[in-house]
């Protein structure tokens, strides 16, 4: 009896061990299958994105404020996590249920001769499936928690990166003197950050703010699929995106160099027929002459400036007279000086003199807020004392139709009021007083011996022309005032008069030319 009992005990132990091994193997098999199914689910949700893996509508560019795809960590990653939380239990329940149903059909429902051993084996498999299903739950939950933690950390890292890149971009613009944005040459307002058009010719959708953020860190993807840089400093000259003004009343294109170079704004103030337009043309010719002589490179910034400059240059070379500046808002004449990091985008605003006579018109002169240097074109022929001196000269006096019809002191007073109304408080920085048409006065011997001396020009205005009150008013309004005799004419070999070069150097705060 003892031997038989021992044999039965051994057989029972072996059966229990075999059953336990069967249960363990089945449990591990189910755990592996469930983890594999979860991995497939993750790939399907995050990579394949086919309809069977979607429970939440995707972020589409058509539904966004701008026509661009979101960066993965600014919405899509959280959406994928939510879909995993929804689909994960479904996949788990379906897989476990299928295995139990298959086992029941094979071992119980369709079994011809159940028998004790087959029943025990089936029960071991059931135990293994139950154990595997239970063991897989914390593992899948752990995988979901790791996924959620990764999304949270990477989301934070993406937002921190976007903030850091924006700070760098803002710093670059601040170094370039563009902390308040770029100047629109059409509406004269500051644009905090331009909108950019898609570089693809067949698309050209506009993106209001391409800086790092929701729609990309270093690159963003347009609705058409084209990738665009998100930082101004990442745009090379040949791949710069078309920029546009963001103000609703404007929306016109900006200069290609807007945001890439330090901007200089030169408002030209003067009466009608004071010589502003001719002086502006002479200034551009002077810069061109300097570039040809080894000075800073000159490049006209846009097609409109190029077309206007060609006409003005031809008129100046023919010693003709330019037409009066139109009263409507004209586009600024913009040029790029220098190369590389030394580039400067210079906007010269030639404003009709009568705009300073009307408060309604003056409200459009918003560019004065961005200016550090102002140019006041003073026509000496608009001063009656000049004609008295001309009558005393033996040479015949010039035609009075060449004189401006607006007194210089009235124009200056109105322009000062305009600057104050547009928000310029306190003393304005710098004023260059360009005494125009001095080539006509030189023929009558009315100028002092030194034409390159600011003090002599000041004394000539205050003393001989009797404009001491105007001179004092200018020096009261501006922290620094310089006076220049200018002749907007060409001399030998088509070069502009030397007086223009000295005047331009001071306006642009450059070293005088030798």
């Amino acid at each position: 009896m003892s031997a038989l009992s021992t044999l039965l005990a051994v057989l029972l132990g072996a059966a229990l061990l075999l059953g336990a091994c069967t249960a363990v193997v089945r449990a591990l098999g189910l755990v592996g299958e469930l983890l594999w199914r979860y991995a497939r689910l993750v790939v399907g949700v995050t990579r394949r994105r086919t309809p069977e893996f979607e429970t939440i509508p995707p972020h589409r560019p058509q539904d966004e404020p701008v026509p661009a795809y979101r960066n993965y960590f600014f919405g899509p990653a959280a959406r994928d996590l939510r879909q995993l939380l929804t689909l994960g239990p479904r996949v788990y329940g379906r897989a476990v249920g299928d295995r139990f149903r298959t086992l029941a059909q094979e071992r119980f429902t369709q079994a011809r001769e159940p028998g004790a051993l087959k029943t025990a084996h089936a029960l071991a498999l059931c135990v293994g499936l139950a154990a595997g299903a239970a063991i897989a739950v914390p593992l899948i939950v752990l995988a979901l928690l790791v996924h959620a933690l990764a999304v949270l950390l990477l989301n934070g890292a993406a937002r921190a990166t976007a903030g850091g890149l924006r700070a760098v971009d803002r710093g670059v613009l601040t170094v370039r003197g563009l902390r308040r944005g770029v100047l629109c040459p059409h509406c004269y307002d500051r644009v905090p950050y331009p909108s950019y058009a898609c570089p693809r010719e067949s698309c050209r959708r506009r993106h209001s703010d391409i800086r790092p953020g929701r729609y990309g860190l270093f690159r963003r993807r347009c609705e058409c699929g084209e990738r665009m840089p998100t930082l101004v400093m990442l745009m090379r000259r040949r791949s710069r995106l078309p920029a546009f003004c963001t103000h609703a009343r404007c929306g016109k294109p900006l200069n290609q160099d807007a945001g890439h170079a330090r901007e200089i704004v030169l408002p030209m103030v003067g009466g009608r027929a004071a010589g502003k337009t001719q002086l502006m043309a002479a200034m551009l010719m002077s810069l061109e002459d300097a570039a040809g002589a080894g000075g800073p490179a000159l490049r006209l910034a846009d097609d409109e400036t190029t077309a206007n400059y060609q006409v003005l240059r031809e008129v100046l070379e023919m010693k003709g007279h330019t037409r009066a500046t139109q009263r409507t808002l004209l586009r600024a004449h913009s040029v790029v000086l220098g190369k590389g990091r030394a580039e400067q985008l210079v906007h010269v605003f030639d404003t009709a003199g009568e705009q300073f006579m009307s408060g309604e018109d003056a409200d459009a002169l918003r560019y004065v807020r961005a200016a550090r240097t102002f140019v006041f074109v003073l026509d000496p022929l608009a001063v009656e004392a000049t004609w008295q001196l001309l009558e005393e000269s033996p040479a015949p006096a010039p035609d009075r139709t060449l004189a401006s019809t607006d007194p210089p002191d009235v124009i200056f007073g109105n322009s000062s009021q305009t600057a104050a109304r547009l928000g310029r408080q306190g003393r304005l920085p710098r004023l260059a007083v360009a005494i125009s048409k001095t080539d006509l006065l030189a023929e009558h011997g009315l100028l002092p011996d030194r034409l390159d001396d600011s003090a002599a020009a000041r004394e000539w205005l205050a003393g001989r022309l009797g404009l001491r009150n105007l001179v004092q008013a200018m020096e009261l309004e501006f922290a620094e005032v310089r006076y220049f005799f200018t002749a907007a004419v060409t001399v030998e070999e088509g070069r502009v008069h030397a007086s223009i070069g000295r005047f331009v150097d001071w306006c642009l705060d450059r070293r005088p030319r030798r």
Side-chain angles (χ1 to χ4, degrees):
M1 290 294 294
S2 61
L4 181 60
S5 299
T6 302
L7 178 61
L8 290 176
V10 170
L11 291 176
L12 180 60
L16 292 175
L17 179 61
L18 179 61
C21 291
T22 301
V24 169
V25 171
R26 193 65 192 90
L28 293 177
L30 182 60
V31 170
E33 179 185 359
L34 290 174
L35 294 179
W36 176 75
R37 286 177 177 269
Y38 178 77
R40 282 192 59 193
L41 177 64
V42 171
V43 173
V45 169
T46 60
R47 301 288 296 178
R48 294 174 60 187
R49 302 184 184 280
T50 49
E52 65 268 22
F53 295 108
E54 288 188 357
T55 60
I56 303 174
H59 298 280
R60 303 186 308 165
Q62 298 90 334
D63 303 327
E64 298 292 333
V66 296
Y69 288 91
R70 286 199 184 195
N71 178 271
Y72 183 70
F73 296 107
F74 285 81
R79 168 181 171 268
D80 288 347
L81 181 61
R82 290 168 59 193
Q83 292 188 131
L84 288 174
L85 291 173
T86 301
L87 294 174
R90 295 180 186 177
V91 171
Y92 172 84
R94 189 182 304 117
V96 173
D98 289 345
R99 291 296 163 261
F100 273 106
R101 279 190 295 271
T102 301
L103 177 62
Q105 291 175 359
E106 292 179 352
R107 301 294 179 176
F108 297 102
T109 306
Q110 300 178 359
R112 297 180 182 178
E113 298 178 0
L117 292 178
K118 290 183 178 181
T119 301
H121 184 259
L123 291 175
L125 292 176
C126 287
V127 172
L129 287 177
I135 295 172
V137 170
L139 296 179
I140 295 175
V141 170
L142 179 61
L144 282 169
L145 291 176
V146 171
H147 191 127
L149 181 61
V151 169
L152 181 63
L153 293 178
L154 292 175
N155 193 334
R159 294 177 183 276
T161 302
L165 291 174
R166 281 176 173 252
V168 171
D169 189 62
R170 195 180 306 113
V172 171
L173 293 177
T174 301
V175 170
R176 293 173 179 170
L178 303 175
R179 182 176 58 86
R180 295 179 57 245
V182 300
L183 186 70
C184 176
H186 297 279
C187 69
Y188 306 160
D189 255 342
R190 282 287 184 184
V191 181
Y193 211 90
S195 63
Y196 289 92
C198 174
R200 182 173 292 183
E201 291 289 343
S202 60
C203 178
R204 294 304 189 191
R205 292 181 174 88
R206 291 194 189 180
H207 297 251
S208 58
D209 189 351
I210 65 167
R211 288 177 292 181
R214 176 181 297 180
Y215 302 103
L217 296 180
F218 296 95
R219 299 275 175 180
R220 74 160 50 184
R221 189 157 62 101
C222 179
E223 183 179 338
C224 69
E226 188 74 17
R227 293 193 175 275
M228 306 164 54
T230 60
L231 296 169
V232 172
M233 59 185 178
L234 295 179
M235 299 182 195
R236 298 180 180 178
R237 180 176 299 279
R238 294 182 179 179
S239 61
R240 288 178 182 173
L241 302 177
F244 294 85
C245 178
T246 57
H247 296 292
R249 65 179 179 278
C250 181
K252 295 181 179 179
L254 303 177
N255 297 107
Q256 184 184 11
D257 299 274
H260 300 275
R262 181 185 297 273
E263 291 187 346
I264 298 177
V265 177
L266 283 180
M268 301 188 69
V269 181
R272 286 166 286 198
K276 301 187 304 298
T277 305
Q278 281 184 290
L279 179 61
M280 181 190 65
M283 292 170 66
L284 297 180
M285 285 188 65
S286 175
L287 292 172
E288 188 177 30
D289 292 343
L298 174 69
R299 176 168 52 84
L300 301 179
D302 51 73
D303 295 336
E304 190 170 342
T305 298
T306 302
N308 291 336
Y309 174 57
Q310 294 302 326
V311 174
L312 294 174
R313 181 188 177 99
E314 291 176 4
V315 172
L316 209 60
E317 290 177 344
M318 292 187 301
K319 294 181 170 56
H321 297 285
T322 58
R323 64 174 181 170
T325 304
Q326 298 180 23
R327 187 170 180 172
T328 55
L329 283 180
L330 295 178
R331 193 185 193 282
H333 296 77
S334 304
V335 298
V336 179
L337 293 178
K339 293 182 178 180
R341 296 182 179 179
E343 281 187 346
Q344 293 179 321
L345 180 59
V346 182
H347 301 288
V348 183
F349 290 91
D350 177 16
T351 308
E354 55 267 36
Q355 284 193 299
F356 292 100
M357 310 297 286
S358 168
E360 181 180 355
D361 285 345
D363 288 337
L365 309 180
R366 292 175 291 273
Y367 56 81
V368 301
R369 299 170 180 163
R372 290 192 65 257
T373 301
F374 291 76
V375 175
F376 182 65
V377 182
L378 193 156
D379 181 9
L381 298 182
V383 181
E384 189 60 33
T386 304
W387 292 101
Q388 296 176 3
L389 295 174
L390 289 172
E391 291 176 359
E392 298 173 0
S393 172
D399 191 348
R400 275 187 176 266
T401 59
L402 297 177
S404 173
T405 57
D406 300 317
D409 52 346
V410 174
I411 290 292
F412 181 80
N414 289 336
S415 62
S416 298
Q417 294 175 8
T418 298
R421 183 164 56 251
L422 292 176
R424 295 300 299 251
Q425 303 295 329
R427 300 180 73 187
L428 299 172
R430 306 167 81 231
L431 175 67
V433 181
I435 305 171
S436 63
K437 306 175 184 177
T438 54
D439 52 313
L440 298 177
L441 300 181
E443 297 174 358
H444 295 77
L446 301 184
L447 300 179
D449 296 333
R450 291 197 60 183
L451 300 182
D452 59 348
D453 184 25
S454 175
R458 179 188 184 281
E459 185 57 34
W460 185 80
L461 289 174
R464 298 204 68 182
L465 297 193
L467 298 178
R468 189 172 300 278
N469 289 340
L470 175 59
V471 169
Q472 291 176 348
M474 289 188 293
E475 293 175 350
L476 182 65
E477 291 285 341
F478 287 84
E480 184 179 5
V481 182
R482 289 288 296 272
Y483 303 86
F484 299 87
F485 289 106
T486 61
V489 295
T490 55
V491 291
E492 69 280 354
E493 298 180 359
R495 298 176 67 85
V496 75
H497 195 275
S499 61
I500 304 299
R502 295 189 293 270
F503 168 71
V504 171
D505 287 338
W506 191 84
C507 289
L508 299 180
D509 201 14
R510 302 193 305 183
R511 293 181 179 180
R513 305 175 194 176
R514 295 181 178 179

